[in-house]
Amino acid sequence: MFIRKVTHINKQNVTQYYTYKLVESLRTQKGPRQKVILNLGTDFNLPEEEWQILAQRIEEIITGQKVLLEYPEEIEILAKKYARRIISRQSSCLPVIKEESPVSPDYQTVDLNSLENEESVTIGAETVVFHTIKTLQIDQKLTQLGFSKPQVEVAIGVIAGRLIFPGSERATHIWLQEISGLDELMGTDFSLLSQDRVYRASDNLFSCKEEIEKHLNCRERNLFSLGEQIILYDLTNTFFEGNGKNNPKARFGRSKEKRSDCPLVTLGLVLDGDGFPKHSDVFSGNISEPSTLKDVIEKLSCGQDLIKPTIVLDAGIATEENLKWIKGQGYSYLVVSRKKGKNMSLDEASTIVKEDKDSVVRCSLVEDKESSEVKLVVHSTDKEKKEEAIKNLFQKRFEEELEKIKSGLLKKKTLKRYEKVIEKIGRLKEKYKKVARHYKISVVKDVETEKAKDVNWVLENGEVEREGRYLLRTDRKDLHEKEIWEIYTMLTDVESAFRCMKSELGLRPVHHQKEERVDGHLFITVLAYHILQTIRFNLRQEGINNDWEAIRSRLATHTRVTTTIRRKDGKIVHIRKSLKPEPYHKEIYAALKIPYQKMGRIIKIII
């Protein structure tokens, strides 16, 4: 074997370009001939002096020759990649044995000492994700949108990578090439996939964002008979790696990850009452949360429902202006009141809506004659314990800081100027403002030196605040206490979705700098969440409630390998086969109705 450089002329712009081919010399009846074994493409950039070394190593891998000396890492990686393609191509013209078909015994004499296993790739989580993508008909929709077959394959690879190997698009490219067996499940080959094609997949998907989201909403609704009586809306933000100077949406704001040192971008997400995404939007990092509501809701389609759904919002978006607009559009609302409700008392006849060994949740309806609303005061013993613990911690830290200021007045080279001490206490009160307002602090001034000589404080018993209480507001008067509270708890689905995207689906941080690439990164994460929610919904129907991280880590043990062994006559047998699923794998596959018996295709090649 050897590598040949072939010159071509582009007829459109009359420019010259080159391709590289792996060629084999053969003896025929008509004399020596050369046969092209593999086209290495136009991106082949190995130095010419190493071409013969690479060709030699490829031939050794295919024929199973033993290696006396180690090859350079770059040569070894390329040789295995090209050898895999050659073996796979040769298998297409040889008999294929399927496990589900009865086969007669095939006894051969082999050298057991020559047996080797190689090219191990993961197929467990890939099988689950690819099956779900086919169920949601994402591949069909992309084809309808004008995606070519290679573009559909790469788009599926990028989405699957976000679920199985979350990270940047660069990390996804490496995963598709070297770790995953997704391409074998799809009947394609990602071994020579360029990184640029992975980035372009993000651009292509985001350019069709509205059509894809509408398709998924319709498909999920039909598959699971979803209603749309409830709509949940909330926002989160994530931070950039870099300054984001080329992205107008990269702005400094209040980071939910406490990353005030990085520019942010904001993701708005709408879910239905079953936790499936309905719509997403990307905003600048410093966007005012209430200002996003109108644009997002106006983009929603309520299908054929005659009754518009109830919109559930957190306190940050539930301004009076927004609530008035919601009613004007014919929607109902259920929101967390901006008034904390800590000073409101529960009726003696309050209703217990949840009770277990750890906590009790009580609710009481409050009549509001001045408005057309129903208000619900909620008290949670679990929330009370948490708030009390946080308050005690902040009080302890606040008093420790005051003690440092006080003790510093008796030490050399510490702050003593009266005005500066007052200023420092003021900054401290701002830092711990939730507890500082309950303290009366006085600074004693030395008349002669005009310096502070003592700091005193006392915790005052002011207005009683009842911890663990919050207030809900709704214009729906047909609901009783438990129904209102249960609808409110659906907001945790949005929070859970955001946590899942950030921790399990690689939403943060964002490594891109251009606006369209950032938007594409976030949209791929939303698409991945569509697939994940479909998987979880089906698994829960079968009583499997494990989180995705646990599921994919256990599915990672289901792999596919090539076994190579030498026959007595010196020929090499390559067998490509999936490992037999373990009981846990079978449980997941069966719950999702995946025919795992067909996953063990054997390709037998004799060279």
Side-chain angles (χ1 to χ4, degrees), residues 206 209 237-240 243-253 262-267 280-287 299 513-520 522:
F206 187 73
K209 175 180 177 296
N237 53 38
T238 186
F239 59 92
F240 284 86
N243 55 27
K245 63 180 180 180
N246 296 320
N247 187 346
K249 291 176 182 171
R251 292 288 184 268
F252 286 93
C262 302
L264 310 172
V265 65
T266 301
L267 173 66
S280 64
D281 257 322
V282 182
F283 305 101
S284 61
N286 61 350
I287 191 74
K299 293 177 182 177
Q513 301 301 309
K514 295 182 180 179
E515 180 179 6
E516 62 273 14
R517 288 283 162 83
V518 173
D519 292 349
L522 269 61

Side-chain angles (χ1 to χ4, degrees), residues 346-365:
L346 291 172
D347 293 341
E348 292 182 0
S350 58
T351 302
I352 296 177
V353 294
K354 178 187 175 184
E355 184 175 14
D356 54 38
K357 63 179 182 179
D358 297 320
S359 65
V360 177
V361 179
R362 292 178 174 272
C363 297
S364 178
L365 285 173

Side-chain angles (χ1 to χ4, degrees), residues 51 66 121 148 167-168 190 199 210-211 235 238 249 310 354 419 516 551 577 594 596:
W51 290 2
K66 293 185 177 180
V121 293
S148 65
S168 65
F190 288 147
Y199 284 118
E210 291 187 10
E211 293 89 343
L235 299 101
T238 186
K249 291 176 182 171
T310 299
K354 178 187 175 184
E419 293 79 7
E516 62 273 14
I551 292 172
K577 185 179 179 182
I594 298 174
Y596 58 85

Side-chain angles (χ1 to χ4, degrees), residues 362-552:
R362 292 178 174 272
C363 297
S364 178
L365 285 173
V366 177
E367 185 178 356
D368 191 345
K369 297 180 180 179
E370 297 181 0
S371 69
S372 57
E373 290 183 334
V374 172
K375 295 183 179 180
L376 187 73
V377 181
V378 184
H379 173 254
S380 167
T381 56
D382 188 40
K383 183 178 177 65
E384 179 179 3
K385 293 173 186 176
K386 291 179 181 178
E387 290 182 352
E388 191 68 34
I390 292 172
K391 185 180 75 172
N392 292 338
L393 178 62
F394 284 174
Q395 285 181 348
K396 180 182 177 182
R397 290 177 178 175
F398 183 63
E399 291 183 7
E400 286 174 349
E401 293 291 338
L402 291 175
E403 188 61 45
K404 286 181 183 179
I405 297 173
K406 180 175 181 176
S407 59
L409 300 177
L410 303 176
K411 299 177 183 178
K412 294 181 179 181
K413 297 181 180 180
T414 55
L415 188 68
K416 296 182 179 65
R417 284 181 55 189
Y418 180 79
E419 293 79 7
K420 291 294 182 181
V421 171
I422 293 292
E423 183 180 332
K424 188 170 183 178
I425 292 175
R427 288 197 297 268
L428 192 62
K429 290 170 72 174
E430 178 64 25
K431 182 178 179 181
Y432 296 100
K433 57 186 177 183
K434 288 187 177 181
V435 296
R437 56 196 178 94
H438 298 298
Y439 283 82
K440 183 177 181 181
I441 305 171
S442 60
V443 181
V444 181
K445 183 178 182 181
D446 190 316
V447 180
E448 295 181 0
T449 62
E450 295 189 350
K451 293 182 178 181
K453 65 177 183 180
D454 197 8
V455 178
N456 299 308
W457 63 87
V458 61
L459 180 60
E460 296 181 319
N461 293 323
E463 185 179 8
V464 177
E465 287 191 354
R466 299 177 175 89
E467 303 294 345
R469 302 198 179 196
Y470 52 92
L471 185 64
L472 305 179
R473 301 169 56 186
T474 180
D475 62 344
R476 289 189 56 179
K477 297 184 178 181
D478 59 319
L479 302 174
H480 55 68
E481 292 94 328
K482 188 172 183 179
E483 289 176 323
I484 295 173
W485 181 78
E486 286 179 343
I487 292 174
Y488 156 74
T489 58
M490 291 181 181
L491 268 180
T492 58
D493 288 343
V494 188
E495 297 170 359
S496 174
F498 287 144
R499 283 195 300 272
C500 177
M501 288 182 184
K502 291 177 179 180
S503 61
E504 295 183 317
L505 301 181
L507 178 66
R508 62 179 177 188
V510 179
H511 296 277
H512 300 292
Q513 301 301 309
K514 295 182 180 179
E515 180 179 6
E516 62 273 14
R517 288 283 162 83
V518 173
D519 292 349
H521 175 84
L522 269 61
F523 180 56
I524 289 172
T525 308
V526 173
L527 290 179
Y529 190 76
H530 272 278
I531 297 166
L532 175 55
Q533 183 62 14
T534 301
I535 294 170
R536 292 194 300 196
F537 193 91
N538 284 325
L539 290 178
R540 286 170 184 166
Q541 303 280 54
E542 302 297 325
I544 301 174
N545 296 303
N546 297 12
D547 60 49
W548 174 240
E549 190 170 359
I551 292 172
R552 74 182 176 199

Side-chain angles (χ1 to χ4, degrees), residues 92-223:
S92 62
C93 58
L94 291 169
V96 173
I97 304 172
K98 296 185 178 180
E99 283 188 344
E100 65 269 22
S101 303
V103 293
S104 57
D106 183 8
Y107 300 113
Q108 299 192 25
T109 304
V110 298
D111 178 10
L112 292 178
N113 293 325
S114 69
L115 188 147
E116 290 184 352
N117 289 320
E118 56 186 1
E119 296 182 13
S120 174
V121 293
T122 59
I123 61 163
E126 287 87 342
T127 298
V128 169
V129 171
F130 184 55
H131 173 80
T132 308
I133 287 174
K134 299 286 284 185
T135 301
L136 293 175
Q137 299 178 352
I138 295 176
D139 53 336
Q140 296 181 28
K141 183 61 182 179
L142 295 182
T143 301
Q144 292 173 10
L145 292 171
F147 283 54
S148 65
K149 186 174 183 292
Q151 286 176 329
V152 172
E153 291 170 348
V154 178
I156 290 175
V158 169
I159 297 169
R162 190 59 54 84
L163 276 151
I164 305 167
F165 196 79
S168 65
E169 277 69 21
R170 182 175 180 273
T172 300
H173 176 241
I174 296 172
W175 174 77
L176 287 171
Q177 281 195 317
E178 303 176 8
I179 302 172
S180 173
L182 178 65
D183 54 348
E184 295 188 51
L185 293 173
M186 296 170 61
T188 186
D189 183 8
F190 288 147
S191 63
L192 296 180
L193 176 67
S194 68
Q195 188 168 319
D196 186 55
R197 287 182 61 198
V198 174
Y199 284 118
R200 289 203 301 269
S202 167
D203 300 339
N204 294 337
L205 286 168
F206 187 73
S207 68
C208 303
K209 175 180 177 296
E210 291 187 10
E211 293 89 343
I212 295 172
E213 285 190 327
K214 287 179 181 177
H215 165 77
L216 288 172
N217 290 337
C218 181
R219 183 63 180 159
E220 289 160 352
R221 185 174 180 176
N222 293 337
L223 277 175

